Amino acid sequence: MVNDELQTYSLTEVFGANVFNDAAMRERLPKPAYKALKKTIDEGTPLDRDIAEIVANAMKDWAIDKGATHYTHWFQPMTGITAEKHDSFISPTSDGKVIMEFSGKELIKGESDASSFPSGGLRATFEARGYTAWDCTSPAFVKDNTLYIPTVFCSYNGEVLDKKTPLLRSMEALSKQALRILRLLGNTTVKKVITTVGAEQEYFLIDKKLHDQRKDLIYTGRTLFGAMPPKGQEMDDHYYGAFKERISAFMKELDRELWKLGVSAKTKHNEVAPAQHELAPIFNTANIATDHNQLIMDTLKKVAQRHGLVCLLHEKPFAGLNGSGKHNNWSLSTDDGQNLLDPGRTPHENAQFLIFLCAVIKAVDEYADLLRCAAANAGNDHRLGAHEAPPAIISIFLGEQLTDILEQIENNGGAKSLKQAAPLKIGVTTLPVLPKDATDRNRTSPFAFTGNKFEFRMVPSSASIAGPIFVLNTIVAEELCQIADRLEKAEDLNAEIHAVLREIVKNHKRIIFNGNNYSEEWIEEAKRRGLPNIRSTVEAIKALIDEKNIRVFEKHKVLNRTELYSRYEILLESYIKTINIEALTMIEMTKRDIIPAVIGYITKLADSINTVKATGVNADTSVQAELLQEVSSLLAELKKNLAALEKSTSEAADFSGDTYKKACMYRDDVFVRMNELRAVADKLETLVDSKMWPFPTYGDLLFNV
Ligand code: ADP
Ligand code: MG
């Protein structure tokens, strides 16, 4: 089946048709090669050179059958999106023709010029070489006549330059520590613990013709101007509403494209804001989920174009309406399929569950700053803490029942009991029966336990999910490590488990909050509890170079000090560039579009007054005169605010000192001036002749799809 034929096939035939998955490997590889590759994928054993040749050849033949002419090492640099350079399979022969070739070496390792990817000072330009190395744990696939090989990306000296490497390392670290716990509890068969992730993707769809009339959308992905239309999202008529035909056609094609790539697109629905939607795949191994989320973002954009639409992945495309996030559902599973965050049915399973639960609680409390940082970008600053998305304060929702159980643990089973008649004792054999229906009814929490997984809701819609996951994995690995250190030394395992859990609950229960996270009271309460409230991205980024955080990353070999410092620089620079582009776009739109339009309207008003007066009829021109006054004085104010923004933008751009200071200038000065300029322009939008306004309004954009 080549690509075009697939349109007519059924879902089960289409699913994964363009993926070199297990079925394809089994079919295409000789048995010994298949077995060796499988071992590499499952256990991380190095792949023999000869086997690599066989795999490369089989992969190439398979890809050519799917219409591929090229291959690419697909990687995830620090830009947060993916990168690819395509090479064709051709190899010239002596008779002037070509054959299609692809070697094991080309499969395993690629060399690319890394000088134009963000490195945060890690790599001097004279060492421009970067390497990509095959990540065989995520399957290769064919897209647009190209064989995509998922890879990791590092510098000539081996320093990490991408998002994938730390993710893979964190998965390994977490597996290692989780296995120690499982062994202590008597499990000798599990070989590996896997991080599972399901990322729900929110996005907006708008008409391309309208989109293309707005420079802000073109350059920044969000509207930098725009007054609220008479109708916003207050009617709640979009959420879960029926799909319009055009949207439905888009979604059908989107699903099909994703299924071909083996992405298990499952749930789709309209979201709260007009023109906002959501797509959720079925969860997968964190590594594959990360690749798939990149494919989802990419496919959303491409398919939208085919339908005359543009997909906006920005966290806040429209002020005054809900923004977009990416809920990261996260859990741990054994290689034999047991979800370690599933409350068990037996006391033994319960002990295990409670240890993992408490490890997460302690991790989130101790490293809240890192998690906050993992969810930070310039776009998310508009969401977090803005009464529609999770607040900037990290806390955990557990639900009443689980919280109650933890309280019992803390009180040593003496004071309270829930459903249990007997006093609670902790131990592998004497644990309470845990509630099975600990469902999540709280939608305001940034980090919610949802029955058998945690849902990290702060993640920005446009970002790679690798960052949030590798942070979470690393900090949980650390807590499991600490717990295992203690339990391994314990004489009485049950007593020690009891003591450890009690201690964790006692010391970290401040992070648990089951109430309304959007309320003002919570902000006060969180302050009393000593929980950090990190309001902006710039502030959040500092967590990366905090000594405690460097220690945890180094200890678990996820990132070293140099790599963390480089990431710190990259993230600050990315913030600076984002705000700078936004400011320059506003300046251009104001000067070249808004001011001329407003002057046009002022002239029209003045002309009207003169024309009426010239008739000699003593008609009332007070309306024109009043409007002329009002619009003219707003124009003067606009010009004043424009000058202020121009000044602060060039000051910030020219500042060549410390990057952190520079980022602060953008946040505290440029960004503030941007908002002041916008406020006046938005007022003008409501006064100026709609036919003269230079670009489509919110009403046009949101209700014309
Ligand atoms: P909701 O909108 O209520 O949050 P959805 O059904 O839209 O729920 O999304 C839930 C996501 O969580 C899905 O992607 C689902 O596959 C994922 N998920 C379910 N179980 C796990 C698990 N054990 N580990 C990781 N993700 C999971
Ligand atoms: Mg959700």
Side-chain angles (χ1 to χ4, degrees):
M1 282 190 268
V2 293
N3 207 32
D4 291 340
E5 289 167 17
L6 284 174
Q7 300 306 347
T8 56
Y9 284 80
S10 72
L11 197 173
T12 46
E13 286 168 312
V14 162
F15 192 84
N18 289 349
V19 185
F20 196 63
N21 50 21
D22 194 60
M25 283 181 216
R26 208 188 290 260
E27 187 193 318
R28 297 276 182 159
L29 290 171
K31 223 182 196 145
Y34 169 78
K35 273 200 177 146
L37 178 57
K38 197 82 180 113
K39 205 166 150 63
T40 302
I41 294 171
D42 293 341
E43 293 163 37
T45 46
L47 195 65
D48 190 272
R49 255 275 140 68
D50 299 338
I51 304 282
E53 286 305 331
I54 299 170
V55 174
N57 205 43
M59 214 189 253
K60 176 206 69 186
D61 289 343
W62 169 86
I64 289 171
D65 285 352
K66 300 276 166 201
T69 53
H70 289 69
Y71 70 92
T72 181
H73 273 204
W74 188 58
F75 60 102
Q76 308 190 11
M78 288 301 294
T79 52
I81 52 174
T82 57
E84 50 195 74
K85 175 187 82 172
H86 297 202
D87 282 300
S88 73
F89 289 122
I90 59 168
S91 168
T93 53
S94 55
D95 58 357
K97 297 193 157 192
V98 292
I99 51 166
M100 303 285 252
E101 261 185 1
F102 184 51
S103 68
K105 197 167 145 261
E106 285 166 316
L107 167 65
I108 288 176
K109 193 169 166 187
E111 197 183 311
S112 64
D113 184 350
S115 58
S116 290
F117 291 106
S119 79
L122 254 189
R123 176 190 26 71
T125 24
F126 60 86
E127 281 171 358
R129 255 181 307 172
Y131 287 109
T132 49
W134 180 30
D135 164 22
C136 65
T137 59
S138 180
F141 54 91
V142 168
K143 192 172 74 121
D144 300 333
N145 305 99
T146 300
L147 169 65
Y148 280 73
I149 301 156
T151 60
V152 297
F153 180 48
C154 63
S155 77
Y156 180 66
N157 297 323
E159 282 129 348
V160 177
L161 292 176
D162 73 345
K163 302 229 167 204
K164 191 86 177 273
T165 313
L167 174 65
L168 292 170
R169 290 180 180 169
S170 76
M171 288 168 73
E172 234 175 271
L174 186 53
S175 176
K176 186 171 151 197
Q177 302 305 333
L179 278 178
R180 288 175 68 195
I181 301 287
L182 295 179
R183 296 279 183 269
L184 279 161
L185 297 178
N187 187 326
T188 52
T189 53
V190 169
K191 286 209 223 45
K192 194 160 97 174
V193 170
I194 301 154
T195 321
T196 54
V197 171
E200 305 161 48
Q201 176 75 49
E202 289 180 332
Y203 61 94
F204 279 82
L205 283 177
I206 58 169
D207 189 89
K208 181 160 167 28
K209 284 202 280 306
L210 298 172
H211 168 272
D212 292 352
Q213 293 169 46
R214 291 200 57 135
K215 289 176 196 155
D216 48 4
L217 288 174
I218 293 172
Y219 295 136
T220 74
R222 76 173 178 107
T223 54
L224 299 168
F225 297 102
M228 271 308 276
K231 182 180 173 186
Q233 62 191 41
E234 61 278 80
M235 299 292 283
D236 290 326
D237 52 354
H238 195 252
Y239 192 58
Y240 280 29
F243 301 131
K244 290 182 184 162
E245 236 170 75
R246 187 177 182 192
I247 301 301
S248 173
F250 158 85
M251 286 181 171
K252 274 185 198 145
E253 190 172 334
L254 174 71
D255 278 341
R256 249 185 134 68
E257 289 296 323
L258 291 172
W259 290 336
K260 280 192 239 169
L261 296 171
V263 178
S264 52
K266 167 99 174 149
T267 311
K268 51 185 179 183
H269 61 81
N270 287 345
E271 261 297 334
V272 172
Q276 193 186 24
H277 314 277
E278 181 184 300
L279 169 78
I282 297 172
F283 72 95
N284 210 321
T285 306
N287 170 30
I288 296 176
T290 300
D291 286 1
H292 281 184
N293 184 254
Q294 292 286 358
L295 285 176
I296 287 173
M297 291 196 285
D298 189 54
T299 313
L300 276 167
K301 294 202 152 176
K302 284 202 177 123
V303 175
Q305 296 268 345
R306 288 184 215 151
H307 290 256
L309 297 162
V310 171
C311 172
L312 302 176
L313 292 172
H314 194 281
E315 288 71 25
K316 193 75 172 178
F318 301 98
L321 297 174
N322 273 14
S324 298
K326 185 143 50 191
H327 292 175
N328 263 27
N329 296 273
W330 174 95
S331 189
L332 301 172
S333 149
T334 60
D335 55 358
D336 56 13
Q338 191 197 353
N339 181 350
L340 295 172
L341 288 176
D342 209 346
R345 272 162 298 273
T346 65
H348 177 274
E349 283 171 356
N350 288 348
Q352 186 180 295
F353 166 74
L354 286 170
I355 290 173
F356 283 99
L357 181 77
C358 286
V360 176
I361 292 170
K362 182 161 183 274
V364 174
D365 187 31
E366 284 180 347
Y367 297 95
D369 57 340
L370 260 187
L371 275 175
R372 172 68 182 86
C373 172
N377 70 9
N380 231 12
D381 277 2
H382 300 277
R383 283 179 74 236
L384 302 182
H387 295 269
E388 45 132 324
I393 306 162
I394 305 247
S395 65
I396 298 179
F397 170 88
L398 277 188
E400 301 298 328
Q401 287 170 301
L402 266 186
T403 308
D404 195 62
I405 299 248
L406 293 189
E407 272 164 15
Q408 292 182 58
I409 289 171
E410 190 194 356
N411 299 331
N412 214 3
K416 276 179 85 183
S417 65
L418 183 71
K419 286 181 190 140
Q420 296 74 26
L424 186 79
K425 287 201 199 98
I426 295 300
V428 195
T429 52
T430 52
L431 271 165
V433 177
L434 294 172
K436 267 310 281 179
D437 59 342
T439 44
D440 164 35
R441 282 180 207 89
N442 180 320
R443 290 265 146 191
T444 64
S445 175
F447 201 90
F449 183 72
T450 52
N452 59 4
K453 60 187 186 295
F454 278 98
E455 185 170 341
F456 186 26
R457 301 201 178 115
M458 289 168 98
V459 180
S461 54
S462 71
S464 160
I465 58 173
I469 304 170
F470 81 64
V471 165
L472 198 47
N473 284 355
T474 309
I475 61 180
V476 173
E478 169 58 18
E479 306 304 351
L480 291 172
C481 174
Q482 288 182 21
I483 297 172
D485 285 348
R486 276 183 64 175
L487 297 187
E488 278 164 2
K489 280 194 225 97
E491 278 173 18
D492 179 343
L493 184 67
N494 279 2
E496 191 66 359
I497 290 176
H498 191 172
V500 167
L501 295 181
R502 234 185 116 202
E503 236 177 79
I504 292 179
V505 177
K506 195 160 172 285
N507 296 335
H508 301 285
K509 64 179 176 202
R510 64 170 190 166
I511 197 77
I512 298 165
F513 179 66
N514 295 324
N516 178 7
N517 292 69
Y518 294 176
S519 70
E520 289 301 321
E521 296 86 73
W522 168 233
I523 297 179
E524 286 309 308
E525 168 69 19
K527 201 191 272 168
R528 272 195 297 278
R529 294 189 188 187
L531 300 177
N533 184 1
I534 304 169
R535 283 171 216 271
S536 79
T537 289
V538 179
E539 227 181 310
I541 294 170
K542 274 200 299 199
L544 283 180
I545 54 167
D546 180 275
E547 283 304 320
K548 152 187 87 95
N549 298 333
I550 294 176
R551 263 199 310 277
V552 76
F553 279 124
E554 289 205 317
K555 176 171 170 189
H556 296 280
K557 300 191 170 50
V558 174
L559 287 169
N560 64 31
R561 178 179 294 267
T562 323
E563 288 162 346
L564 284 161
Y565 266 87
S566 105
R567 264 150 219 265
Y568 167 78
E569 285 287 325
I570 290 171
L571 291 182
L572 285 176
E573 275 166 18
S574 158
Y575 177 85
I576 290 169
K577 287 176 192 162
T578 306
I579 305 295
N580 193 54
I581 293 170
E582 289 185 348
L584 294 180
T585 306
M586 285 189 94
I587 291 168
E588 160 147 352
M589 287 172 82
T590 307
K591 275 187 174 166
R592 302 188 56 200
D593 301 321
I594 299 176
I595 291 179
V598 175
I599 290 175
Y601 185 52
I602 287 174
T603 310
K604 196 173 165 186
L605 291 169
D607 284 351
S608 163
I609 296 170
N610 287 336
T611 314
V612 173
K613 289 216 166 122
T615 61
V617 179
N618 192 16
D620 186 350
T621 53
S622 63
V623 173
Q624 291 96 310
E626 264 171 45
L627 265 173
L628 184 59
Q629 279 287 357
E630 192 179 357
V631 174
S632 299
S633 66
L634 280 171
L635 178 64
E637 204 183 329
L638 186 78
K639 182 68 178 64
K640 193 182 92 225
N641 291 0
L642 171 68
L645 176 61
E646 284 186 290
K647 182 165 173 281
S648 58
T649 307
S650 66
E651 273 170 14
D654 290 345
F655 181 77
S656 57
D658 178 57
T659 323
Y660 184 78
K661 253 206 187 131
K662 185 166 177 148
C664 288
M665 288 170 82
Y666 275 93
R667 181 194 61 189
D668 301 332
D669 200 13
V670 178
F671 186 69
V672 175
R673 301 286 95 76
M674 281 164 58
N675 289 336
E676 287 166 1
L677 178 64
R678 176 181 183 147
V680 182
D682 288 359
K683 244 189 250 165
L684 279 164
E685 187 194 311
T686 63
L687 296 170
V688 171
D689 182 346
S690 68
K691 287 187 228 49
M692 300 178 85
W693 196 248
F695 34 77
T697 61
Y698 272 27
D700 300 330
L701 292 166
L702 291 163
F703 296 100
N704 275 313
V705 267

